[in-house]
Amino acid sequence: LSCFLLLLWAVFGLPAKAEFIALSIDNDIPAEIIDASHEGKRLVVMFQEAGCPWCNKMRERVFGHPEVDEYFSRRFIIIEQDIKGDQGLISHEGVEMTQKAFAKIMRVRGTPTFLFFDTDGKIAVRVPGYQDAITFLNTGRYVHEGVFKTGKSLVRWHMEQ
């Protein structure tokens, strides 16, 4: 079976699992932010739901893109949250709730939606929807390089790139 999968990857270029995708065991967002910052990284929460075609495209086309994988693996950790999930979590503000309650409070209207956090636990930028690899890479740069702290909007910054 592993030879078959290797053959599929070689023929079709199927992406490997991105190193920056993590699984949160306890869904404690403040602890995840602290753990990421101890590694010199920032946390990103990806809101998704089962069967979301755009979420799957992000995972397959964008996260597997070599430049995105290389850049994000050194600077970010992404954890996924199910917008319809009943698992408990602790929000970035320290409030216990379910995944779906967190999605509602964060005004997630569609998936995927990304919350990029700064190392201090504040939301650096909220990004709804699918982004191609270059746009997603530039969004990461916008956060990592601290452009969001200047007051320049993400949209304006993307237009200047």
Side-chain angles (χ1 to χ4, degrees):
L1 181 63
S2 62
C3 289
F4 177 71
L5 292 175
L6 185 59
L7 179 63
L8 278 176
W9 179 80
V11 172
F12 296 105
L14 298 176
K17 182 185 181 302
E19 291 182 31
F20 54 89
I21 304 294
L23 178 65
S24 179
I25 301 301
D26 57 3
N27 282 333
D28 184 339
I29 306 275
E32 298 292 348
I33 291 168
I34 291 168
D35 290 348
S37 68
H38 286 155
E39 294 180 34
K41 300 179 180 183
R42 289 177 171 84
L43 181 71
V44 180
V45 172
M46 174 182 166
F47 290 98
Q48 56 82 31
E49 64 181 311
C52 166
W54 294 108
C55 300
N56 291 335
K57 286 180 183 181
M58 285 296 299
R59 291 183 198 101
E60 294 166 6
R61 297 180 185 173
V62 178
F63 296 168
H65 189 281
E67 287 180 67
V68 171
D69 187 36
E70 188 274 329
Y71 189 85
F72 271 72
S73 292
R74 289 189 293 140
R75 295 168 178 89
F76 295 96
I77 294 174
I78 294 181
I79 60 171
E80 296 187 10
Q81 295 296 332
D82 182 352
I83 65 166
K84 296 180 180 176
D86 289 319
Q87 288 184 3
L89 66 69
I90 300 172
S91 76
H92 62 293
E93 295 175 333
V95 179
E96 291 185 32
M97 61 186 71
T98 63
Q99 292 170 303
K100 65 183 165 192
F102 185 51
K104 184 176 181 179
I105 287 171
M106 293 291 102
R107 298 180 322 239
V108 174
R109 304 285 186 254
T111 56
T113 294
F114 297 89
L115 291 181
F116 284 75
F117 287 92
D118 197 5
T119 54
D120 62 4
K122 294 187 174 119
I123 297 171
V125 69
R126 180 180 184 276
V127 181
Y130 174 84
Q131 292 188 334
D132 63 45
I134 299 305
T135 304
F136 194 69
L137 181 63
N138 282 334
T139 299
R141 287 181 48 226
Y142 174 84
V143 174
H144 178 73
E145 295 172 11
V147 178
F148 70 96
K149 293 179 182 179
T150 68
K152 184 175 286 191
S153 76
L154 178 62
V155 173
R156 168 76 59 201
W157 192 78
H158 276 301
M159 290 174 22
E160 295 173 356
Q161 299 309 299

